[in-house]
Amino acid sequence: MHSRFAIYWRNQGMFLQHRLCFYSSNHPKQSPTYNEVNILMIDRNFQKVLFDCQKYDYQKASFEILQEFCRLGIDITSSRHYKNPLYFSIPDLSGSNVKEHLDSVAKELSHPYMKLLESFGSPPELPKIWESSSGWTKYRGDKTYSVEAPLEDALIFDTEVLVKEGHVPTMAVALTSDGWYSWTSKRLSVYDDNCLNDINAFNSLIPIYGSKNKDISKCVIGHFVSYDRARILEEYLLDVCTFT
């Protein structure tokens, strides 16, 4: 088994070396460039694409650096015999360099959620009385409504867990542009032995989507997000893919 893995990794290394040294027919060849410690650098045109700069000359390593490499048994003074600098083909960038490309991709991916955040205005008035019935309750003015899940697509969310009882959520609160919401676990009103004291017990998790609106994007803002999202039902469902 060990030798099979060794062969696999050696073959993968040869493949990567071949890919890194690949030149497209449209790419002009250039002399290799080495840094201060005689390490071959990437193609300078490729450097321009990645970092929006081109550097050809590097200062020689200091005597102290040479001594340290010598102590480690590394000879950085010997000549290298690479024919070409490292280069491989990459897709066209959206911008003049990698930073602009990543900024562009980030803006494209975050645009639907930024639009949702723009729907927030002044927060609605805080409810004077909170309901204790299980599930979601919406508060709008003096009226309350029992709902499957928050109706709006952008919300601020927080949950609380009674850790001595387990890791499932006990209660939660949410704020949207149209009202406040509270969620209460049914275990606060009805003790159910079948409601497992486990984070994977679906009946104890908090739904963010209703049964009829699972195909739309939602933006949920939290404080300790990695902790809170583990208590959300849709995090464990494969058919909901637009939740962030």
Side-chain angles (χ1 to χ4, degrees), residues 11 17 28 40 55 88 93 98 116 126 144 156 159 161 167 211 230 233:
N11 290 340
Q17 184 179 16
L40 178 66
K55 184 175 181 180
F88 58 92
L93 298 181
V98 169
L116 290 176
L126 193 68
T144 61
I156 300 172
T159 183
V161 176
H167 300 292
S211 58
L233 173 64

Side-chain angles (χ1 to χ4, degrees), residues 60 127 152 157 180 196 216 235:
K60 296 295 183 181
E152 294 74 37
F157 173 81
W180 286 84
L196 299 178
I216 60 176
E235 287 292 285

Side-chain angles (χ1 to χ4, degrees), residues 34 132 205:
Y34 299 91
S132 59
L205 298 177

Side-chain angles (χ1 to χ4, degrees), residues 177-193:
S177 59
D178 193 53
W180 286 84
Y181 290 85
S182 66
W183 180 91
T184 305
S185 170
K186 66 180 181 180
R187 297 191 66 180
L188 289 182
S189 55
V190 178
Y191 186 82
D192 184 359
D193 288 332

Side-chain angles (χ1 to χ4, degrees), residues 217-231:
S217 298
K218 285 206 172 195
C219 182
V220 180
I221 306 166
H223 173 58
F224 192 176
V225 177
S226 60
Y227 186 85
D228 289 343
R229 73 184 304 171
R231 277 80 195 164

Side-chain angles (χ1 to χ4, degrees), residues 18-238:
H18 171 74
R19 287 291 297 164
L20 288 172
C21 295
F22 168 75
Y23 267 78
S24 67
S25 58
N26 297 325
H27 184 78
K29 294 184 178 181
Q30 59 183 244
S31 300
T33 301
Y34 299 91
N35 68 0
E36 299 93 331
V37 291
N38 212 17
I39 294 177
L40 178 66
M41 307 303 289
I42 61 173
D43 176 274
R44 299 296 86 183
N45 293 325
F46 192 32
Q47 182 192 45
K48 175 68 175 178
V49 172
L50 292 177
F51 306 109
D52 196 23
C53 68
Q54 286 179 301
K55 184 175 181 180
Y56 291 90
D57 298 321
Y58 292 86
Q59 295 180 351
K60 296 295 183 181
S62 66
F63 179 73
E64 290 77 11
I65 293 177
L66 293 175
Q67 277 190 319
E68 181 64 15
F69 274 95
C70 183
R71 185 184 68 82
L72 297 173
I74 302 174
D75 181 13
I76 65 172
T77 61
S78 61
S79 60
R80 301 291 190 258
H81 301 287
Y82 294 103
K83 294 182 179 180
N84 298 315
L86 300 178
Y87 173 82
F88 58 92
S89 300
I90 61 173
D92 293 335
L93 298 181
S94 178
S96 61
N97 54 63
V98 169
K99 181 182 183 304
E100 291 182 4
H101 175 77
L102 294 178
D103 287 343
S104 176
V105 172
K107 288 179 181 179
E108 180 181 353
L109 294 177
S110 63
H111 177 72
Y113 305 103
M114 295 301 294
K115 294 293 291 184
L116 290 176
L117 294 179
E118 291 174 1
S119 65
F120 269 103
S122 300
E125 184 179 351
L126 193 68
K128 295 181 174 62
I129 299 176
W130 295 89
E131 295 289 335
S132 59
S133 55
S134 62
W136 280 108
T137 300
K138 180 176 182 178
Y139 305 83
R140 188 178 184 188
D142 296 331
K143 297 181 179 180
T144 61
Y145 310 87
S146 178
V147 294
E148 283 186 293
L151 304 176
E152 294 74 37
D153 300 329
L155 57 143
I156 300 172
F157 173 81
D158 188 34
T159 183
E160 299 296 336
V161 176
L162 186 60
V163 292
K164 288 187 177 181
E165 283 293 311
H167 300 292
V168 293
T170 304
M171 60 181 63
V173 65
L175 170 64
T176 73
S177 59
D178 193 53
W180 286 84
Y181 290 85
S182 66
W183 180 91
T184 305
S185 170
K186 66 180 181 180
R187 297 191 66 180
L188 289 182
S189 55
V190 178
Y191 186 82
D192 184 359
D193 288 332
N194 295 321
C195 185
L196 299 178
N197 188 17
D198 185 87
I199 194 60
N200 292 321
F202 277 16
N203 291 336
S204 299
L205 298 177
I206 305 172
I208 293 296
Y209 283 87
S211 58
K212 298 181 180 180
N213 64 345
K214 293 185 178 181
D215 296 328
I216 60 176
S217 298
K218 285 206 172 195
C219 182
V220 180
I221 306 166
H223 173 58
F224 192 176
V225 177
S226 60
Y227 186 85
D228 289 343
R229 73 184 304 171
R231 277 80 195 164
I232 292 178
L233 173 64
E234 285 78 12
E235 287 292 285
Y236 304 91
L237 301 180
L238 298 179

